[in-house]
Amino acid sequence: MKKIALSLAIASPVLVQAETINLEIEKPEFYGKINVTQEFVQPENSGNFSQLNSNASRLGVKGKIALEHGLKGIYQAEYETFQDDGEKAAGQTFSQRNTFIGIEGGFGRVQAGMFDTPFKNAQNKVDLFNDLQGDIKNIISKSENRSKNSVQYTSPSFAGLVATVDHLNSEDEDTNNGLSASLAYTRGDIYVAYAYDNEVNGEKVDAQRVVGQYKVGAVQLGALWETLDTDGNSEEGWMASAAFKATSAVTVKAQYGASDIKKEGGVSYSLGADYKLAKNAKTFVYATSEESDDESVNAQYYGAGLEYKF
């Protein structure tokens, strides 16, 4: 923990005597990630092309403030940056990501702002191609939400069990508030979670998600199943992933999923490999294929990239 020590001299007007008080203030942590890929796209019904992608690259600052009664104030401000073309849209150089203010203590944690829902976070690290074309948000799920106007409570860990509840303010008298909740259990290399969304994606829209992940030796296995119910009409999706740490520097990975939630008959499968260049740096390659009954979606993606975290 990095702190700044301040010495204040307080002079008494009567005794003209200076008293020194030492204060410790935790330094805010500046952090970031740059992830860029060169990608080649082969659509089924149109010509091939190439593109340079910035994949959820970001800059942020976060920290904690010691409060009375054993409490801590928490804060974070995080913004996406665009290393490929410099902006998300015309005139928009930064895009807000997880940004909040809150307080934590023995009771757990409360935060307010804009951040990932408990439903989204329940996937943990099952999605091995997160932020790339193989990300489950592209074919498998409609519920990878980062919601604004949110107030969230996270419980302390009870023997590895953590509950999280997020209240999403609609700020509109004609629109219902949303609710996102999860119950996650971690014990050693085992992770399981259940998540539920109520009217996060709109009125009369509910979603459920079950996630499991297990690591044994150099192998990590994961699976996810979810359902989306829209006014009584239900669709399902699932995916499975596997990663193998071949050496201290090389990890190979594979992922397959099928879903009717985003596109009828949607299928996505990916293969890839990461090569560790340093503790916070890697280069990687991947291939992703996406298919559905909507042939405009059908395409193959091949890419190579570089990622630095700081």
Side-chain angles (χ1 to χ4, degrees):
M1 181 183 297
K2 297 181 179 179
K3 297 181 179 180
I4 303 173
L6 300 179
S7 295
L8 303 179
I10 302 176
S12 167
V14 178
L15 302 177
V16 195
Q17 182 178 0
E19 179 182 359
T20 299
I21 301 176
N22 291 320
L23 300 178
E24 287 188 337
I25 302 174
E26 186 174 336
K27 284 184 179 180
E29 178 187 349
F30 174 78
Y31 66 94
K33 182 177 85 169
I34 298 176
N35 183 305
V36 174
T37 53
Q38 173 64 52
E39 188 173 73
F40 299 90
V41 185
Q42 296 180 350
E44 184 176 286
N45 296 322
S46 59
N48 303 342
F49 62 93
S50 66
Q51 57 191 12
L52 184 69
N53 298 326
S54 178
N55 306 299
S57 300
R58 69 202 68 168
L59 294 173
V61 61
K62 61 183 178 180
K64 296 184 178 182
I65 300 173
L67 305 175
E68 298 292 336
H69 313 296
L71 301 175
K72 283 189 176 182
I74 56 174
Y75 61 89
Q76 178 173 298
E78 182 178 287
Y79 292 86
E80 184 174 359
T81 61
F82 305 92
Q83 272 65 32
D84 49 355
D85 55 18
E87 56 186 13
K88 182 176 183 178
Q92 186 179 0
T93 304
F94 298 98
S95 178
Q96 185 170 316
R97 289 175 52 87
N98 295 317
T99 299
F100 57 84
I101 188 172
I103 191 169
E104 65 181 18
F107 65 91
R109 171 174 174 150
V110 176
Q111 63 188 58
M114 173 178 172
F115 37 80
D116 294 345
T117 62
F119 192 100
K120 178 180 180 180
N121 284 331
Q123 70 146 289
N124 198 28
K125 298 185 183 299
V126 168
D127 184 357
L128 300 180
F129 294 86
N130 184 50
D131 295 329
L132 301 176
Q133 187 61 38
D135 193 311
I136 63 172
K137 68 184 179 184
N138 291 321
I139 290 290
I140 307 301
S141 176
K142 281 185 178 178
S143 300
E144 293 287 282
N145 295 308
R146 178 175 297 120
S147 297
K148 57 186 178 181
N149 302 317
S150 297
V151 179
Q152 179 175 284
Y153 168 72
T154 303
S155 76
S157 176
F158 298 100
L161 192 64
V162 175
T164 307
V165 180
D166 193 359
H167 173 80
L168 285 66
N169 295 285
S170 70
E171 301 192 343
D172 183 347
E173 64 179 10
D174 296 322
T175 304
N176 294 335
N177 295 324
L179 173 73
S180 183
S182 69
L183 194 61
Y185 175 75
T186 305
R187 182 173 182 178
D189 294 324
I190 299 173
Y191 171 85
V192 292
Y194 169 77
Y196 173 73
D197 271 1
N198 175 247
E199 300 199 332
V200 175
N201 284 325
E203 293 193 17
K204 299 183 179 180
V205 180
D206 297 335
Q208 298 184 74
R209 171 178 284 182
V210 178
V211 181
Q213 186 174 338
Y214 179 60
K215 185 176 181 182
V216 52
V219 178
Q220 176 184 297
L221 303 174
L224 176 150
W225 171 88
E226 71 177 66
T227 181
L228 185 75
D229 186 277
T230 306
D231 197 17
N233 297 316
S234 183
E235 286 116 10
E236 295 184 358
W238 66 274
M239 58 80 68
S241 63
F244 172 64
K245 191 171 183 179
T247 71
S248 59
V250 177
T251 299
V252 293
K253 51 192 183 180
Q255 187 162 296
Y256 179 90
S259 174
D260 294 319
I261 293 175
K262 292 208 72 169
K263 294 287 185 179
E264 191 75 22
V267 174
S268 174
Y269 49 93
S270 300
L271 297 172
D274 296 345
Y275 182 80
K276 188 175 181 181
L277 298 170
K279 180 180 179 180
N280 296 319
K282 70 177 182 179
T283 185
F284 55 94
V285 294
Y286 62 91
T288 293
S289 177
E290 294 179 347
E291 303 171 1
S292 79
D293 294 348
D294 177 2
E295 293 185 356
S296 66
V297 173
N298 299 356
Q300 286 75 49
Y301 302 82
Y302 305 93
L306 190 63
E307 178 182 279
Y308 296 154
K309 293 181 178 180
F310 51 91

